[in-house]
Amino acid sequence: MERRLSAILAADIVGSSRLMEADETGTLARQKQHHSELIDPRIEAHHGRIIKLTGDGLIAEFPSVVEAVQCAVSVQREIEAREAVVPEEQRIRYRIAVNLGDVIIDGDEVYGNGVIVAARLEALAEPGGVVVSGTAYDHLQGSVKVGYEDLGTQQVKNIAKPVRVYRVIPDGTGTSVQQRTKHRRWQAVAATIAVAAMLIAGGGWWWMQRPEFTPADPAKMEYALDEPSIAVLAFDNLTGDAEQEHVSDGLSEDIISTLARLPGVVVIARNSSFAYKGQPVDIRQIAEEMSVRYVLEGSLQSFGDKVRVTAQLIDALSGRHVWARKYDRPRAEFFEVRDEITYDIIAELNSELVEGNTWYNRIDTFRSIEAWLLARKAWQHIYRFNRTDNQIAIDICHKILEIEPGSVLAHGWLTYRHGWGYRANWSDDPDESLRLAESHAEKAISLDPSAPIGYSALGWLRYIEGRLEEAVPLAEQALERAPGDSEEMAQLALYLQKNMQADRSVNLFERSIRMNRKAQGWVWGSYGDSLRIAGKYQESVPIYMDALKHG
């Protein structure tokens, strides 16, 4: 084995799972074409060599930092030009990082801290951008005609010492290596002038803009923030009435359900975000553990025939509240409050979150609070999976339909309940249960073809009947209508696995679990099965271990 100082380039495709899910064939073809026609030749031209391919990324070694950065900048420029003809949401973009560090050479393999730091820093680059470590920056000597922006020291995963990071600015603006000494000389003077100006002209503005808490560190997150991401915490029940707990929980759940229907948005599932219920809220910890940028928290109070809902939307990366609102309404207008909060989230973060998506297409809108309260009670019995609770849930759903015959959600739930009666032999007449299940699924679809639950329920029914060729397209239609729903993803992934489409199944399971780290045990176990079927035996082992943890 040999030790040496090397420049290491790490590159990875942004949102590869999303791209593969949307157009697996087209994305893979363009990726291979970029490699063969652009990336591989450029690395070779700059005297580098690829030391590891990671599926949607690579790690390469170069004899000098200058060569590595020149290669990175030229590749990013060319990729951008090549992908310009592709629709924005389908474009392949890379993040690239360059580090100079000590590595260990063992045959064709390269190990060591130099490689690890490069791989960790890659997540800090912008889509289509390049970052370099402080050690790389110090050795550039002005040989690359680009500018740099100092991003400060960053704590990256599994690296004890913080790493200085610089963003490469291809057009040459920013602080260049030649300018660095002069720039530092003037920093103290500029800082003094700035502080004096703020004190004289409005130091209070600076005080108001300071972080309200220590911002979350993206390097400590398991997943990169490739897409807008949000966790909705369980709203606190401040009514003093324990019976109202399901109302405050239901409010949070409905907001999650609505947001989950927005394409391109990572919305953490209920059973993951509700894990913090009743605990002291540490926004930084929550954001880092769930890999999200935004967190919504709130509370519910009641005063006679009125309710007060407070909500706060927090940007964990800036350490500040985006907004805090108070909604005072008569109880009869409770659902308008729910919709207002959801609308406010999307309106406030329009450019970050949705860019024009129809937020108001929700799974189900109840017109009466009585029906909504019954739905919340039904939910308590739905996932207990025994004959008694299954029948209670069926009875409650029929009560909902007496109040609101057009409830798509109630019909969807009845499909699953009667389906379980057939599958688990809980019914005295399994064939009749199967007929009822199919009837309710078709009714849900006819009532609202834009809602996912009818297609999802009918797809599951076809799955338990063994009609897999029909289950897959129905699950695909459900996911099209709720592209951010982790359960719809997991359900489709399972059907694809059973249809021997393991690679696509793996991509969907990975994305589903990214949104719901507390998914049920069957999701983890099925994910492990898909990895194993795809030949990824080593990767399947820790997933199976997680399946045991989640029951």
Side-chain angles (χ1 to χ4, degrees):
M1 290 190 293
E2 170 196 354
R3 281 189 177 272
R4 68 178 179 228
L5 195 66
S6 290
I8 302 296
L9 180 152
D12 196 33
I13 293 177
V14 178
S16 60
S17 297
R18 172 180 56 81
L19 294 173
M20 294 292 281
E21 180 184 333
D23 181 11
E24 185 176 36
T25 303
T27 299
L28 188 59
R30 297 204 320 280
Q31 181 185 355
K32 289 182 176 179
Q33 187 176 16
H34 291 331
H35 261 283
S36 62
E37 296 179 3
L38 171 62
I39 298 173
D40 295 354
R42 290 290 169 85
I43 290 174
E44 184 177 352
H46 287 279
H47 312 291
R49 69 183 182 103
I50 294 176
I51 58 177
K52 184 178 182 180
L53 291 173
T54 59
D56 54 3
L58 63 89
I59 295 176
E61 181 194 21
F62 292 81
S64 79
V65 174
V66 171
E67 296 278 14
V69 173
Q70 286 177 336
C71 177
V73 171
S74 65
V75 164
Q76 292 289 47
R77 283 173 174 161
E78 183 63 25
I79 290 285
E80 182 180 3
R82 284 167 166 252
E83 291 288 303
V85 297
V86 180
E88 176 74 23
E89 68 278 3
Q90 298 176 20
R91 291 179 188 174
I92 292 176
R93 292 185 175 88
Y94 282 85
R95 288 189 174 94
I96 300 180
V98 175
N99 177 49
L100 180 67
D102 189 52
V103 298
I104 301 171
I105 311 298
D106 184 7
D108 292 332
E109 299 290 337
V110 180
Y111 307 96
N113 199 59
V115 177
I116 295 172
V117 170
R120 298 302 186 206
L121 292 186
E122 170 266 312
L124 300 180
E126 299 174 342
V130 180
V131 297
V132 299
S133 66
T135 55
Y137 177 86
D138 290 337
H139 285 77
L140 284 167
Q141 302 299 323
S143 299
V144 185
K145 295 181 179 179
V146 295
Y148 303 91
E149 178 186 357
D150 188 345
L151 301 182
T153 56
Q154 303 286 337
Q155 187 71 53
V156 297
K157 188 175 181 180
N158 295 334
I159 301 295
K161 186 178 179 181
V163 181
R164 193 85 182 179
V165 185
Y166 295 82
R167 181 171 72 91
V168 175
I169 305 175
D171 63 7
T173 61
T175 307
S176 68
V177 176
Q178 295 115 314
Q179 294 172 319
R180 182 177 53 187
T181 303
K182 183 177 180 180
H183 174 74
R184 285 178 176 171
R185 215 171 28 236
W186 282 99
Q187 277 183 332
V189 176
T192 302
I193 294 172
V195 170
M198 283 190 292
L199 289 172
I200 295 170
W205 176 89
W206 172 84
W207 180 255
M208 292 298 292
Q209 297 301 312
R210 77 196 191 288
E212 297 166 353
F213 59 89
T214 304
D217 184 353
K220 294 181 179 178
M221 298 181 184
E222 185 171 357
Y223 297 95
L225 299 179
D226 295 338
E227 300 162 292
S229 51
I230 185 169
V232 179
L233 304 183
F235 276 48
D236 292 327
N237 173 25
L238 303 181
T239 64
D241 180 1
E243 291 295 319
Q244 297 300 308
E245 194 77 14
H246 64 279
V247 178
S248 56
D249 286 353
L251 176 60
S252 308
E253 291 164 7
D254 284 355
I255 293 171
I256 290 170
S257 295
T258 301
L259 292 175
R261 302 199 60 182
L262 302 172
V265 182
V266 173
V267 183
I268 300 301
R270 172 203 185 276
N271 56 345
S272 286
S273 59
F274 274 39
Y276 300 92
K277 184 176 177 178
Q279 302 178 23
V281 175
D282 183 338
I283 297 300
R284 178 185 182 184
Q285 175 192 353
I286 290 170
E288 291 175 351
E289 289 181 354
M290 291 196 287
S291 298
V292 295
R293 175 168 184 172
Y294 299 102
V295 176
L296 180 76
E297 61 175 353
S299 64
L300 171 71
Q301 294 174 277
S302 61
F303 308 92
D305 64 345
K306 293 186 177 180
V307 293
R308 169 175 292 175
V309 177
T310 60
Q312 301 179 88
L313 184 65
I314 303 162
D315 183 345
L317 292 191
S318 70
R320 291 190 56 78
H321 287 71
V322 178
W323 53 252
R325 303 274 163 81
K326 180 174 67 177
Y327 305 83
D328 288 326
R329 296 288 191 280
R331 283 180 61 84
E333 298 177 13
F334 177 74
F335 299 108
E336 283 145 7
V337 174
R338 173 193 63 186
D339 293 347
E340 279 186 53
I341 294 171
T342 309
Y343 176 79
D344 284 344
I345 294 170
I346 297 168
E348 189 73 41
L349 302 174
N350 189 51
S351 60
E352 171 69 11
L353 282 172
V354 292
E355 298 183 345
N357 288 296
T358 53
W359 66 273
Y360 44 81
N361 285 335
R362 45 196 159 276
I363 291 174
D364 196 276
T365 301
F366 292 100
R367 291 183 295 276
S368 71
I369 194 166
E370 291 82 8
W372 187 82
L373 289 170
L374 283 169
R376 302 271 61 83
K377 289 181 179 178
W379 184 260
Q380 298 171 19
H381 300 277
I382 279 175
Y383 283 110
R384 290 181 181 170
F385 296 106
N386 62 70
R387 183 171 187 158
T388 300
D389 281 289
N390 197 63
Q391 187 58 51
I392 292 172
I394 289 174
D395 293 342
I396 294 175
C397 285
H398 282 296
K399 290 179 181 178
I400 293 172
L401 291 176
E402 289 174 8
I403 300 170
E404 294 190 18
S407 171
V408 176
L409 185 59
H411 283 291
W413 281 354
L414 281 168
T415 300
Y416 284 105
R417 295 307 96 216
H418 286 298
W420 273 107
Y422 164 81
R423 186 180 190 185
N425 202 27
W426 293 335
S427 170
D428 295 331
D429 187 346
D431 291 337
E432 175 64 8
S433 292
L434 187 62
R435 186 194 68 77
L436 288 170
E438 184 162 344
S439 173
H440 283 292
E442 291 173 348
K443 184 66 173 178
I445 293 172
S446 67
L447 284 169
D448 186 359
S450 70
I453 192 166
Y455 301 93
S456 175
L458 188 56
W460 176 78
L461 205 58
R462 295 291 178 254
Y463 166 69
I464 66 173
E465 291 180 279
R467 297 159 64 177
L468 287 170
E469 71 283 354
E470 298 175 52
V472 169
L474 285 164
E476 287 176 330
Q477 290 185 72
L479 189 57
E480 284 175 8
R481 288 159 174 79
D485 191 304
S486 63
E487 290 192 12
E488 301 290 5
M489 286 180 198
Q491 200 158 294
L492 174 56
L494 175 63
Y495 306 160
L496 290 168
Q497 178 209 107
K498 300 302 183 183
N499 272 294
M500 302 309 293
Q501 299 182 49
D503 288 337
R504 189 178 172 205
S505 176
V506 165
N507 289 333
L508 280 168
F509 272 128
E510 179 183 358
R511 182 170 173 79
S512 174
I513 286 176
R514 186 263 184 270
M515 294 180 179
N516 186 8
R517 296 296 295 171
K518 295 187 180 295
Q520 297 175 50
W522 77 264
V523 178
W524 293 89
S526 298
Y527 181 22
D529 290 342
S530 292
L531 288 167
R532 177 176 51 79
I533 294 168
K536 300 179 180 181
Y537 304 109
Q538 290 185 332
E539 294 177 41
S540 71
V541 173
I543 301 301
Y544 281 132
M545 298 299 291
D546 282 328
L548 293 174
K549 294 177 188 175
H550 290 83

